[in-house]
Amino acid sequence: MTDKQNEFLYRMSSSLRKGLAEVQTKVNDLYRIEELEDYIDIPDSPIEHIKAALMPLVVQVNDFQDYAETVTGRMELDLQEVDIHALMEGVLTIADQLADQKGGIRLEEDIPENLPTLEGDPTRLSQALLNYIHNAVKFTDSGTVTVRVEREADRVRFEVRDTGIGIAEEDQEKVFEPFETILEDKDDSRLGMGIGLKIVEHIIELHDGETWFESREGAGSSFFFTVPL
C-alpha cells in the first residue's frame, strides 16, 4: 500500500473507533435507565444483542487502528518496569476464557518463578501474546495450547505452542505478511483480517526484540518473541 493509502486507513479507522466508542457509551447508558430494567432482563433482550454484536466490531476496528499506527509509524510504547508474572497472570486469565469458549482445548503454562523484570509496554506485550494465543486456539480443534516463558542470557523468550493444524511449508513465508491467510476456503469461520501477526511483529520490533515461528503441517505450531532485559 502507498503512504496515501496507509494514511487514509489510519484516518478511517480513527473515525470508526470514535464512532463505535460513542455507540458503546449510549448502549451502556441504557442500563442506567430504571424504566428499561425489566426490558433488559428479559431473555433475548435486543439491548443485550446490540451489546454483544458491538464487541467483535470494536475488536476489529481496534486491530485496524493498531495496524494503521504500525504502517504510518504512529505506534508508541509506554515503557515501564514490567513484572512478568503480573503480566502473565492477566494474559492467562483471558487465555483461559478463549480456551473455554472454544472447547476441547487444554491450556498449559510453563512459567518459572525466578523471572526478572524487564522494560517494556505491558499493554502492548499482553496484546502480542494474546494475538499469538488467539491464533493458537483458533487453529486447534483439540489438544493443548502451551504458553511458556524462559530467560535466555540477556533476553526473555515468550512462546505459544499448539497442537493444531500447522502451516504448510509453501505458506510459511507469508505468515507475517498483512492480509494473508493459510486458509484456502474463504468462507472458513476461522478466517480473520490477516493483520494480527503483523501487529505483533511491529510491537516486538519497537521493543528491540525478535519474532519467529516453527511449524509443520498437521503437527502444530510454535510462535516466539523475545524482549531484551
Side-chain angles (χ1 to χ4, degrees), residues 169-182:
E169 186 174 352
E170 61 268 22
D171 291 328
Q172 294 190 7
E173 64 180 15
K174 63 183 182 182
V175 164
F176 281 98
E177 292 300 314
F179 310 117
E180 293 286 354
T181 179
I182 63 171

Side-chain angles (χ1 to χ4, degrees), residues 138-139 165 181 183-192:
K138 182 165 62 173
F139 291 106
I165 63 174
T181 179
L183 298 172
E184 295 182 1
D185 183 0
K186 302 308 178 185
D187 293 322
D188 194 308
S189 61
R190 296 170 297 181
L191 190 65

Side-chain angles (χ1 to χ4, degrees), residues 42-110:
I42 65 173
D44 292 326
S45 163
I47 296 177
E48 287 290 336
H49 279 291
I50 292 171
K51 187 175 182 180
L54 277 174
M55 290 309 298
L57 290 176
V58 170
V59 171
Q60 289 180 349
V61 169
N62 284 342
D63 281 347
F64 263 123
Q65 179 78 34
D66 288 335
Y67 176 73
E69 290 181 356
T70 293
V71 296
T72 59
R74 283 183 168 91
M75 183 179 286
E76 297 180 352
L77 300 181
D78 178 16
L79 294 175
Q80 53 190 276
E81 189 174 13
V82 178
D83 181 326
I84 297 175
H85 284 285
L87 176 80
M88 297 308 301
E89 183 178 355
V91 166
L92 290 171
T93 297
I94 298 174
D96 276 328
Q97 296 171 357
L98 291 173
D100 287 344
Q101 289 170 4
K102 177 70 177 286
I105 299 174
R106 185 173 69 257
L107 183 69
E108 297 182 348
E109 59 184 87
D110 182 5

